[in-house]
Amino acid sequence: MKSIKLILPIFAFALLLLSNTIADTGNSLDARLNTYKYECKQMIKPARYEGSRITYYAASKEVQKKTVEAYFLLNTEYKLAFSGKECSTKTSVRIYDSADDSKRTLLKEVKSIQGKNVVVSSKDLSETFAKKVTKTERLKVVYIEYTIGANVTKNEAAVLVIGYTDI
Amino acid sequence: MKSNINFLILISALFIASCGSGENEKTPKVDVETENSFNSEEFDFVLPQPISLAKAFQASGLSYNQSFTNSADNNKKYTTKVKQLLNLGVYSTDLAYSAINEKEQEARAYLKVVQELGNSVGLKPVFSDKKMIEKFDQNLNNMEAIEDLIYDIQEKSEEYMDDNDIRYLAVVQFSGSWTEGMYIGIMDYEAKQNKNLTVTIIDQINLLKNIIKGVKTYPTSDETLTFVIKKLTDILKTYENFPSVKKANESSTFVFPELSKVELSSLGTKVKDLRNYIVN
């Protein structure tokens, strides 16, 4: 009984320490992601900032896929900046014109963004769209598919920032 | 000190291990919780800014008509958080619509209500800057600088909501922005029958699926929001069931739907109903 009385406060204290460590890990990841987001924003300048999305993924032995849908509402050049600096495994980016597997056309592939920042222009995507899909309509929506390599051992994320040339 | 901490962690680990049932032995609880909170959904989206909605309509030939906007005086009517969020979105579109049409006084009035509502819904760190209106006044004849200010507000709002895990507020706000943009577009189309506007109306309907998905993430049950989701879903279903849309979707090649007058009228009625519900 006496030993339980002794262990309980120690346990509570240790749990507090443990949760602080986990919170710190999350906070420092967020801080790093904010830095990468800032870098991406700088890379798309002078484009107007349209939005961003941080795609989080957890530790896994399997290959993971995540998709982000983005819109090109305006008839102007859009810039997509990616940061894979937080990705510990090969992370490819494939950009499609549709979410439907049977109808979609691959517009652009970046083999891996792991450890670096990459910018893609909608001009390249639109050229492929015009060649492979249609010349009568412009590209207005894209589906960005991340394929994250197997054996991720911790929580990680890829950053996307979108901007456009003002009209 | 370090060895003491290690000792405590060791003791706790042993304690946790001794408390675990046979089933949970292989799954440390802390890891599972962290994993869930860090894992994005398989399908996510990035919505445009309200000023982009307004610019897309402007590029299609939308003209300015003050009577299409929500009066800044209505601001005081919105007392619940959800109504404030929805109308923050409505006024953000009205602000952008006025600014890109160089209506300085109207834009100034909308900036004031956007600031007031922004403060009311918990975005004080973004909207409490008393110099915001001052900056606007200093640039009254410089619409590019005023647009810069609008982009700046949008970016800061989005960042604040992302950083504080309150992205659901942004989507509710955006649903108000979207409804106002569509309302203005449809009103202008009905007044002038400008066919180019129908293309932009269809482009913006394509945002609806993700708007509904996002609004549904609002963490608490709310009567107004339930009604708004119902109306938005009805607009989407109505659109998807239009013969012209079905025909376009059935095609094996890329076809852009061309809405008939009847279809546009039906869509217009539903958008106007929703907009009237939000602003009244």
Side-chain angles (χ1 to χ4, degrees):
Chain A
M1 188 65 188
K2 210 175 177 184
S3 63
I4 288 179
K5 272 186 184 173
L6 184 72
I7 286 174
L8 273 178
I10 294 172
F11 169 67
F13 180 63
L15 211 60
L16 190 73
L17 275 177
L18 207 62
S19 63
N20 278 344
T21 310
I22 289 162
D24 281 349
T25 310
N27 288 343
S28 57
L29 173 66
D30 282 343
R32 289 197 302 277
L33 291 170
N34 275 335
T35 305
Y36 306 145
K37 194 164 141 183
Y38 175 78
E39 288 173 6
C40 288
K41 280 184 182 178
Q42 296 304 306
M43 287 171 76
I44 60 164
K45 277 189 173 175
R48 291 282 199 190
Y49 174 77
E50 177 79 319
S52 65
R53 185 61 61 235
I54 295 177
T55 301
Y56 294 94
Y57 52 92
S60 173
K61 286 181 181 169
E62 310 294 324
V63 170
Q64 299 178 68
K65 282 195 177 182
K66 303 265 183 190
T67 302
V68 179
E69 186 173 353
Y71 303 91
F72 299 160
L73 277 187
L74 302 169
N75 190 8
T76 183
E77 184 188 8
Y78 280 77
K79 292 267 176 79
L80 308 171
F82 298 92
S83 178
K85 288 191 175 178
E86 200 58 41
C87 306
S88 65
T89 59
K90 186 183 168 192
T91 302
S92 71
V93 175
R94 290 190 185 93
I95 304 174
Y96 295 94
D97 64 332
S98 167
D100 184 343
D101 282 2
S102 62
K103 275 188 177 179
R104 68 184 187 177
T105 303
L106 178 65
L107 303 174
K108 174 97 183 171
E109 180 175 11
V110 181
K111 296 276 183 208
S112 183
I113 57 166
Q114 182 193 354
K116 60 186 177 188
N117 297 340
V118 175
V119 177
V120 172
S121 163
S122 68
K123 274 187 181 172
D124 296 342
L125 307 175
S126 295
E127 272 173 28
T128 313
F129 183 73
K131 263 186 224 159
K132 292 187 179 175
V133 186
T134 179
K135 282 188 173 67
T136 54
E137 289 296 332
R138 69 174 181 87
L139 181 66
K140 292 173 178 174
V141 59
V142 286
Y143 297 83
I144 299 151
E145 184 185 84
Y146 295 104
T147 305
I148 301 133
N151 298 320
V152 172
T153 54
K154 59 189 194 309
N155 295 316
E156 296 178 357
V159 178
L160 163 69
V161 170
I162 304 174
Y164 60 80
T165 308
D166 210 357
I167 52 169
Chain B
M1 181 63 188
K2 203 176 172 187
S3 61
N4 285 345
I5 292 172
N6 287 341
F7 174 68
L8 289 174
I9 291 174
L10 181 69
I11 295 270
S12 327
L14 288 171
F15 190 84
I16 292 167
S18 68
C19 291
S21 70
E23 276 174 12
N24 292 333
E25 269 171 6
K26 285 177 186 169
T27 320
K29 251 187 174 164
V30 172
D31 274 352
V32 173
E33 281 167 11
T34 314
E35 201 174 283
N36 288 341
S37 63
F38 270 98
N39 217 347
S40 294
E41 282 194 39
E42 205 178 321
F43 289 93
D44 205 344
F45 53 88
V46 184
L47 292 171
Q49 304 281 3
I51 196 165
S52 306
L53 302 180
K55 282 193 169 184
F57 272 120
Q58 189 192 38
S60 303
L62 181 81
S63 51
Y64 184 79
N65 186 331
Q66 201 193 342
S67 71
F68 295 162
T69 60
N70 185 23
S71 165
D73 297 335
N74 285 341
N75 171 27
K76 297 282 178 279
K77 290 202 293 195
Y78 313 127
T79 51
T80 65
K81 187 167 181 177
V82 167
K83 271 273 182 171
Q84 287 171 337
L85 271 171
L86 289 166
N87 282 286
L88 175 60
V90 167
Y91 285 131
S92 299
T93 295
D94 290 338
L95 166 63
Y97 177 55
S98 307
I100 62 176
N101 283 288
E102 304 191 0
K103 304 291 174 192
E104 292 93 346
Q105 289 313 316
E106 289 83 351
R108 189 183 190 279
Y110 287 124
L111 179 62
K112 270 189 100 173
V113 290
V114 162
Q115 192 171 17
E116 279 172 37
L117 286 174
N119 280 325
S120 303
V121 297
L123 302 175
K124 272 198 176 131
V126 180
F127 290 101
S128 62
D129 180 7
K130 285 177 184 155
K131 287 184 180 162
M132 209 180 266
I133 288 286
E134 235 173 77
K135 277 183 211 163
F136 186 95
D137 288 339
Q138 282 164 4
N139 291 295
L140 259 186
N141 297 316
N142 180 357
M143 288 319 287
E144 207 181 313
I146 287 178
E147 274 191 29
D148 286 344
L149 181 66
I150 295 172
Y151 278 104
D152 191 43
I153 294 169
Q154 290 178 163
E155 188 176 337
K156 280 182 181 160
S157 305
E158 191 219 71
E159 269 188 6
Y160 179 77
M161 291 194 240
D162 271 356
D163 288 350
N164 292 282
D165 288 333
I166 46 175
R167 193 179 148 200
Y168 55 87
L169 296 184
V171 192
V172 175
Q173 180 192 339
F174 188 81
S175 67
S177 288
W178 179 87
T179 306
E180 184 70 348
M182 287 289 283
Y183 173 78
I184 294 172
I186 281 166
M187 292 297 281
D188 202 60
Y189 168 76
E190 287 180 356
K192 293 181 192 143
Q193 303 290 307
N194 173 0
K195 260 197 139 188
N196 288 339
L197 282 176
T198 63
V199 175
T200 306
I201 287 168
I202 295 170
D203 287 347
Q204 301 210 3
I205 281 191
N206 290 329
L207 305 172
L208 203 43
K209 180 189 68 186
N210 283 326
I211 295 173
I212 296 166
K213 186 179 164 190
V215 174
K216 282 181 176 172
T217 63
Y218 195 79
T220 51
S221 166
D222 180 275
E223 208 180 306
T224 305
L225 217 48
T226 305
F227 188 79
V228 168
I229 291 169
K230 197 177 147 199
K231 287 280 181 188
L232 289 171
T233 308
D234 183 37
I235 292 171
L236 183 61
K237 293 271 173 243
T238 302
Y239 171 79
E240 285 173 344
N241 284 317
F242 283 155
S244 61
V245 177
K246 277 187 165 176
K247 196 177 159 195
N249 287 341
E250 279 162 10
S251 169
S252 56
T253 54
F254 187 95
V255 177
F256 197 80
E258 200 169 318
L259 302 190
S260 68
K261 281 193 175 178
V262 177
E263 290 170 340
L264 274 163
S265 167
S266 159
L267 188 69
T269 306
K270 287 178 189 294
V271 169
K272 282 185 259 181
D273 275 356
L274 172 61
R275 194 267 189 177
N276 288 336
Y277 174 77
I278 290 174
V279 302
N280 287 312

